[in-house]
Amino acid sequence: MAEEKYDLWLSSFPDWGNNVRCRLAQTFGGARNAYLASFKEWEEVLSSKQAEGLRNFTGQWRLDEEYEKMKEQGIRLITRAMQEYPRRLRDIPDAPYALFVKGGLPGEAMPAVAVVGARECSPYGAYVAEKLGEALGRRKVEVISGMARGIDSISQQAALDAGGRSCAVLGCGVDVCYPARNRELYERLVQKGSVVSEYPMKTPARPQNFPPRNRIVSGLADAVVVVEAREKSGTLITVDMALEQGKEVYVVPGRITDRLSDGCNRLIRQGAGVLLEPEEFLEEFLEVFWGIQGRRKSCDAPIEDGKEKNSKSAKSKRNKQSVRHCGAEQSTGEKEALKKLTPEQAAVYGALEICPQTVDRLRSRLPDRYRETPITTQLMLLCMEGLVEQVSPGCFCLKKR
Amino acid sequence: MYSAVCSGALLGVSAYLVTVEVDIAPGLPVFSMVGYLSGEVKESRDRVTVALKNAGLRIPPNHITVNLSPADRRKEGTAFDLPIAVGMLEASGYFPAGASSGILFLGELGLDGEIKKVRGVLPIVREAAARGMKQCIVPAANAREGAVIPGITVRGAGNIREVLCFLGEHPGKMQEGILQAADVRISELMEGEQRERIPDFSEVSGQETAKRAAEIAAAGFHNLLMTGPPGAGKSMIARRIPGILPPLTLEESLEVTAVHSVAGLLEEGKALVTKRPFESPHHTITQAALIGGSSLPRPGMISLAHRGVLFLDELPEFQRISLDSLRQPLEERQVNIARAGGSVTYPTDFMLVCAMNPCPCGYYPDRNRCRCQESAVRRYIGRVSGPVMDRIDLCVELGAVDIGSLKEKNKAESSARIRERVLRAREIQKSRFAGTECRFNGDIGAAQIEEYCFLGKEEQELMEQMYRSLQLSARAYHRVLKVARTIADLAGKERIDKEHLMEACFYRPVAGGI
């Protein structure tokens, strides 16, 4: 308790990075000693400008008050010295000195997968992120991500919806909801998952905060899945970090004509694992994960019951029998509806994709004998059957399920 | 000596007669003008005196008083120069008193005595004819414009001496060649000028859906919104819509000509506007320029587009206040502008065609090119004002044109063939709405929907199903019915079919794209 106040002080100075924090704590032997050290002693460790800044900051900092404030907001500060500090983070290069945590801590015993990707994603990316998040949530795999627009928030949302756990690593203070539109997701994560950040409270979202944030995203996970990324994308920073930390990287392939899949396809070219189907990926991933856990268990204290492991892999086997394809899942109701379609409607349905297309383009994709079909009428019928969605006046796509 | 000469002034697109009284009496040389005159009318004192002097017509330095009656209405414009000059000549005894009676004079004078073009000749001549006058003398440049009105002789004058010559010889020995009556054959005009070049739909390759939407919109006089990336052909299609609307009737042509005449936009020597107007204001247009206005009201863009197409390209870029003020003109088909200078009404019966990009960069939802944030897209679309969206019956989205359809040039249908179908649909509407306030399906109000857009039992069921599964609003429901009525008319069907309903539903505004 006494030490925590000083840790908060050390973690709250806004203008420096993690390495300075670590250096101070190491040199003086803990935050408390660093706090009590004289200005001269600081100057020995820091540059004179940094020491000056620290003095000014320390002059205004009210140790007890700030600590009480933090407690009131239900925020905890977990430093590397504490037992609760995430095991996965301990080993990574440049591990954060401390994490601000709102909500629970990321599950230690649970397998965790980071799902990352473009903010401005395509409907295809959104669809895959949702399917993936749902599968992970269902199989009790924690989803680690950055709560950004697009892939991040979609996968986290889906995981929570499926009853799973999720952890958001922010590039701002844990008490700041960025982007503001994700307020609902933020609240849910605080309730049912966790929100963590290495940045002091009230830090606004600054572009330079995000690349360092990504090392924590990959650090907290056992594997990283990239759903959609452009050739030059922040997502690829996460991938680099993951590789540096020795984590598995899986990639969702895309069409080579889609700019949003360029980064992914490039990673595949470079030898990343390919995610073709969430269930299949989970089989592979969980097998490896529980394998490692098993080995770890033999030397560490037991975390999970061995039976659980066996039943899980047995379940995996069962699921393998009925591998379903990501794009072709159909409920029985839909199957019935599809059976009832006329040949023209079936042709139109066949030309549709997850990504919206204009009507003229759809028409050009129809087989020649259906070119004269009144395509607008057929589309409206398909919409009414709930098979197709009209996303804008002239664009249609397959209804997401 | 006293004289009174007849002239006219504009009030909106109609006119009223003005009597120009001139009195020349002995006394100190003073020239005073009265009758609630605006600046340019007061300045005519200098133009008239100098013009008469330069024409070699000397007015003795006496006390001259000019009054424009009715004296309580604000007069503006330069058309009073000629009647004032004629009145002064008459009061000075240059021609027999009474020679100018029964003739309406209009024209601006140059300092050399030349008579220059003025605006609003057509409405004033029409008013004169209605009041039983038989002759008009107008600037030569405006003579053909006035000559369109039957039952009145319109003579074009080039300078003040010609007018004097005419009045001096009048009525007995009219000299050959002086101020000949302008002669206009209306039927020839209507036919001849219809051949004026309007861009043709055969030049648009691909974009079949948008062309079909344009056809439906033209047939039922519905307002249309096109969205799509830059270069998809939105403006191209919009420019071709006047070509598939029915040709202007003489009555319509007169209305259009009157508005253009009042705005001073009629070309010199032009008798009638016979081409459907197509107005495409830039998005920086002010409210006054769009709706009409300034302290002495002039017709705005929406009135110049009367009986034609008003095309608002880059719809979200328009000032919100300008777009909001379209509400009354769109509903009442006319706009009433009240200013300190008076209140006038201009006709605004136009078809609204709008075009916009789906997002700030223009390529949404093509994520290969568009990197706009979802919120930016929503904000962009949200800039379009609600009142305008409420009046849009058809929405259509254009995709980028692929190279295949650009190549097959010969396949596209010509405007003439589309127009034939539009004309047939218009005929059906004409007989349906005979004797009612509606003229087109686009005019059908919510109250008359049941009557004109009757649905059979099966169609009713389909409509209910669509209402539920596609989550239509009540307003969208009505629009779908109206558009379905037009589609049925285009197909020549008495009853609205299921197919018509579904096609109409396709063109409804969808939340994501509007």
Side-chain angles (χ1 to χ4, degrees):
Chain A
M1 162 76 185
E3 187 68 20
E4 277 177 25
K5 281 190 286 194
Y6 301 104
D7 282 327
L8 178 60
W9 161 78
L10 186 58
S11 303
S12 294
F13 186 59
D15 293 343
W16 57 30
N18 185 49
N19 55 342
V20 180
R21 230 162 248 151
C22 295
R23 199 160 72 224
L24 267 174
Q26 210 174 357
T27 320
F28 294 104
R32 184 163 182 272
N33 292 338
Y35 182 83
L36 296 172
S38 68
F39 181 67
K40 233 186 188 151
E41 281 169 314
W42 283 348
E43 267 188 321
E44 278 164 28
V45 186
L46 306 169
S47 72
S48 56
K49 208 174 150 194
Q50 282 174 324
E52 188 71 30
L54 185 58
R55 185 167 62 180
N56 291 341
F57 170 72
T58 310
Q60 291 165 4
W61 188 259
R62 315 232 170 282
L63 277 176
D64 295 297
E65 222 173 277
E66 296 293 340
Y67 185 70
E68 282 310 313
K69 254 197 241 168
M70 183 179 86
K71 285 268 145 191
E72 269 168 36
Q73 291 184 59
I75 296 168
R76 279 184 297 160
L77 185 70
I78 310 291
T79 60
R80 229 160 28 176
M82 293 182 186
Q83 181 99 73
E84 297 110 301
Y85 190 80
R87 169 181 49 76
R88 292 180 180 95
L89 277 187
R90 277 187 198 280
D91 310 330
I92 69 167
D94 192 22
Y97 174 75
L99 281 180
F100 289 89
V101 180
K102 199 166 178 187
L105 271 164
E108 292 284 15
M110 251 178 126
V113 168
V115 180
V116 294
R119 285 184 308 240
E120 266 61 67
C121 59
S122 73
Y124 163 72
Y127 176 77
V128 174
E130 196 181 329
K131 288 283 142 197
L132 183 58
E134 191 195 318
L136 293 169
R138 211 173 41 229
R139 298 287 292 268
K140 302 290 177 243
V141 178
E142 178 152 19
V143 174
I144 315 284
S145 198
M147 211 182 83
R149 288 189 305 275
I151 304 294
D152 285 18
S153 52
I154 293 170
S155 58
Q156 293 189 291
Q157 190 87 47
L160 291 178
D161 288 344
R165 255 192 71 101
S166 181
C167 168
V169 185
L170 304 184
C172 49
V174 279
D175 51 345
V176 178
C177 175
Y178 177 85
R181 185 140 45 86
N182 282 347
R183 171 62 64 182
E184 198 190 322
L185 175 61
Y186 175 83
E187 300 291 352
R188 284 182 70 187
L189 282 167
V190 170
Q191 295 295 323
K192 294 205 177 132
S194 39
V195 177
V196 305
S197 168
E198 64 168 325
Y199 295 102
M201 291 183 294
K202 297 211 167 45
T203 306
R206 279 188 296 242
Q208 68 267 29
N209 291 355
F210 289 89
R213 177 276 305 259
N214 290 349
R215 79 182 193 286
I216 305 178
V217 172
S218 57
L220 282 173
D222 298 308
V224 174
V225 178
V226 185
V227 176
E228 260 190 326
R230 290 176 192 269
E231 187 93 60
K232 283 178 185 158
S233 160
T235 304
L236 300 184
I237 299 174
T238 315
V239 172
D240 288 342
M241 303 281 185
L243 293 173
E244 205 177 315
Q245 296 160 1
K247 313 267 163 134
E248 285 290 321
V249 174
Y250 285 81
V251 170
V252 176
R255 290 189 292 203
I256 57 171
T257 50
D258 282 355
R259 297 286 79 79
L260 263 166
S261 289
D262 279 351
C264 293
N265 291 338
R266 180 67 57 195
L267 286 171
I268 293 173
R269 177 88 172 77
Q270 289 164 356
V274 182
L275 188 151
L276 294 181
E277 204 269 319
E279 291 295 335
E280 184 195 55
F281 158 74
L282 276 166
E283 302 293 316
E284 205 176 306
F285 165 72
L286 288 174
E287 215 155 286
V288 175
F289 176 79
W290 291 119
I292 294 171
Q293 285 287 312
R295 250 178 285 136
R296 198 186 290 269
K297 237 181 295 171
S298 61
C299 43
D300 291 1
I303 306 165
E304 203 147 350
D305 192 8
K307 270 182 191 170
E308 176 74 11
K309 172 200 155 194
N310 288 333
S311 71
K312 277 236 163 123
S313 55
K315 206 168 145 199
S316 319
K317 287 249 168 57
R318 271 205 308 281
N319 273 355
K320 209 156 201 170
Q321 310 284 311
S322 57
V323 167
R324 291 179 303 173
H325 249 282
C326 199
E329 280 176 58
Q330 283 156 4
S331 69
T332 43
E334 276 161 3
K335 272 187 192 146
E336 287 300 307
L338 280 178
K339 265 186 212 153
K340 279 192 282 181
L341 296 184
T342 62
E344 289 88 4
Q345 285 161 1
V348 174
Y349 185 79
L352 284 156
E353 290 179 6
I354 290 171
C355 291
Q357 298 173 84
T358 62
V359 177
D360 290 320
R361 194 172 161 76
L362 275 175
R363 189 176 295 145
S364 71
R365 292 182 64 170
L366 287 181
D368 278 338
R369 60 180 185 285
Y370 294 127
R371 282 288 164 83
E372 301 302 316
T373 317
I375 188 166
T376 49
T377 317
Q378 309 295 357
L379 282 168
M380 292 321 297
L381 267 175
L382 290 168
C383 281
M384 279 163 49
E385 295 289 343
L387 295 167
V388 170
E389 195 173 357
Q390 185 170 16
V391 291
S392 67
C395 283
F396 289 81
C397 66
L398 294 175
K399 188 108 172 182
K400 296 192 192 85
R401 295 180 286 272
Chain B
M1 279 285 283
Y2 165 87
S3 72
V5 174
C6 184
S7 187
L10 287 172
L11 186 70
V13 281
S14 53
Y16 60 95
L17 297 189
V18 172
T19 309
V20 178
E21 299 171 299
V22 179
D23 183 77
I24 301 184
L28 285 174
V30 173
F31 194 141
S32 73
M33 291 182 68
V34 293
Y36 199 16
L37 310 177
S38 70
E40 69 267 28
V41 184
K42 283 180 189 154
E43 286 163 3
S44 92
R45 172 175 55 196
D46 298 327
R47 281 194 298 272
V48 169
T49 38
V50 177
L52 288 178
K53 186 203 80 184
N54 286 344
L57 306 166
R58 214 182 66 83
I59 304 290
N62 280 331
H63 189 118
I64 304 171
T65 311
V66 174
N67 176 36
L68 271 57
S69 148
D72 61 343
R73 274 188 178 171
R74 182 85 171 160
K75 317 291 182 314
E76 60 152 346
T78 52
F80 298 113
D81 290 3
L82 182 62
I84 292 172
V86 170
M88 282 166 67
L89 292 173
E90 186 173 352
S92 310
Y94 272 93
F95 56 86
S100 68
S101 70
I103 306 179
L104 179 122
F105 294 89
L106 288 174
E108 176 184 327
L109 284 180
L111 295 186
D112 55 353
E114 191 195 347
I115 299 174
K116 292 178 180 167
K117 188 182 153 192
V118 293
R119 55 187 193 89
V121 169
L122 178 73
I124 296 175
V125 172
R126 189 167 50 195
E127 177 67 12
R131 296 298 192 85
M133 300 189 70
K134 293 288 174 228
Q135 285 204 61
C136 289
I137 294 180
V138 300
N142 298 113
R144 283 169 60 77
E145 176 189 340
V148 176
I149 305 294
I152 187 162
T153 311
V154 178
R155 301 176 191 278
N159 63 55
I160 185 75
R161 283 215 76 99
E162 274 178 34
V163 178
L164 179 64
C165 200
F166 174 76
L167 292 169
E169 308 297 328
H170 191 79
K173 12 174 192 163
M174 170 119 45
Q175 216 173 309
E176 202 57 39
I178 291 181
L179 296 197
Q180 266 187 339
D183 184 24
V184 168
R185 289 214 182 79
I186 287 172
S187 56
E188 268 174 33
L189 274 181
M190 296 297 288
E191 277 168 22
E193 291 191 45
Q194 260 160 37
R195 284 195 288 272
E196 272 186 74
R197 166 127 183 85
I198 301 176
D200 200 282
F201 263 108
S202 61
E203 296 149 9
V204 185
S205 27
Q207 306 298 17
E208 297 305 324
T209 321
K211 284 197 251 180
R212 169 74 175 161
E215 177 182 333
I216 297 168
F221 214 73
H222 300 286
N223 298 325
L224 172 70
L225 169 67
M226 292 182 280
T227 52
K234 301 184 293 285
S235 317
M236 212 174 163
I237 288 173
R239 275 176 207 290
R240 281 155 183 77
I241 290 177
I244 59 168
L245 288 168
L248 282 176
T249 61
L250 175 62
E251 196 185 328
E252 286 175 330
S253 172
L254 280 172
E255 289 173 16
V256 176
T257 313
V259 177
H260 279 76
S261 171
V262 168
L265 290 176
L266 211 57
E267 289 163 41
E268 195 162 316
K270 184 145 183 160
L272 271 180
V273 178
T274 49
K275 204 164 90 171
R276 289 226 175 243
F278 178 85
E279 296 295 340
S280 160
H282 188 249
H283 58 73
T284 52
I285 191 169
T286 61
Q287 190 189 9
L290 186 66
I291 304 302
S294 88
S295 62
L296 286 159
R298 294 269 182 104
M301 277 286 182
I302 56 169
S303 299
L304 294 176
H306 179 59
R307 300 288 183 199
V309 173
L310 179 73
F311 177 48
L312 302 183
D313 202 357
E314 309 296 350
L315 188 64
E317 306 289 344
F318 279 81
Q319 288 172 18
R320 201 171 184 117
I321 185 167
S322 308
L323 289 185
D324 280 351
S325 54
L326 285 176
R327 190 200 312 234
Q328 188 215 10
L330 276 169
E331 247 153 52
E332 298 176 8
R333 302 282 173 206
Q334 60 180 31
V335 63
N336 189 281
I337 301 164
R339 291 291 141 84
S343 147
V344 294
T345 302
Y346 292 119
T348 61
D349 191 8
F350 58 87
M351 179 177 154
L352 181 66
V353 178
C354 304
M356 63 186 277
N357 292 333
C359 72
C361 84
Y363 292 101
Y364 185 85
D366 177 5
R367 280 302 190 187
N368 280 343
R369 301 174 86 172
C370 171
R371 301 181 72 166
C372 300
Q373 296 180 8
E374 294 284 344
S375 56
V377 175
R378 268 201 296 274
R379 246 197 328 273
Y380 188 76
I381 292 164
R383 292 229 292 259
V384 178
S385 88
V388 175
M389 279 317 305
D390 281 352
R391 297 293 304 178
I392 303 271
D393 289 338
L394 285 106
C395 282
V396 68
E397 182 160 330
L398 290 81
V401 192
D402 53 63
I403 192 76
S405 57
L406 274 180
K407 275 191 210 149
E408 42 191 83
K409 262 232 149 75
N410 306 326
K411 275 193 162 178
E413 207 174 11
S414 73
S415 288
R417 288 190 54 191
I418 303 176
R419 186 188 242 175
E420 278 171 30
R421 291 198 296 270
V422 170
L423 276 170
R424 273 204 300 279
R426 286 276 178 114
E427 281 306 315
I428 297 173
Q429 294 173 58
K430 208 169 163 186
S431 55
R432 174 183 311 131
F433 296 125
T436 67
E437 276 194 4
C438 287
R439 296 156 310 145
F440 310 110
N441 294 335
D443 294 339
I444 301 176
Q448 302 125 328
I449 283 260
E450 293 279 308
E451 183 185 344
Y452 295 126
C453 306
F454 177 78
L455 296 181
K457 191 161 172 281
E458 276 182 42
E459 286 76 23
Q460 193 75 50
E461 276 168 15
L462 176 83
M463 206 54 210
E464 274 166 30
Q465 198 187 339
M466 284 204 282
Y467 186 83
R468 276 195 307 273
S469 62
L470 304 178
Q471 294 166 0
L472 303 184
S473 65
R475 184 173 277 134
Y477 179 84
H478 283 156
R479 284 186 206 158
V480 168
L481 285 177
K482 281 198 280 186
V483 174
R485 181 68 265 169
T486 306
I487 295 173
D489 288 345
L490 274 169
K493 295 274 170 61
E494 179 76 25
R495 281 167 56 110
I496 298 175
D497 236 331
K498 279 183 176 179
E499 258 176 42
H500 307 146
L501 283 174
M502 279 188 279
E503 193 181 351
C505 201
F506 170 80
Y507 293 112
R508 82 198 187 279
V510 177
I514 53 127

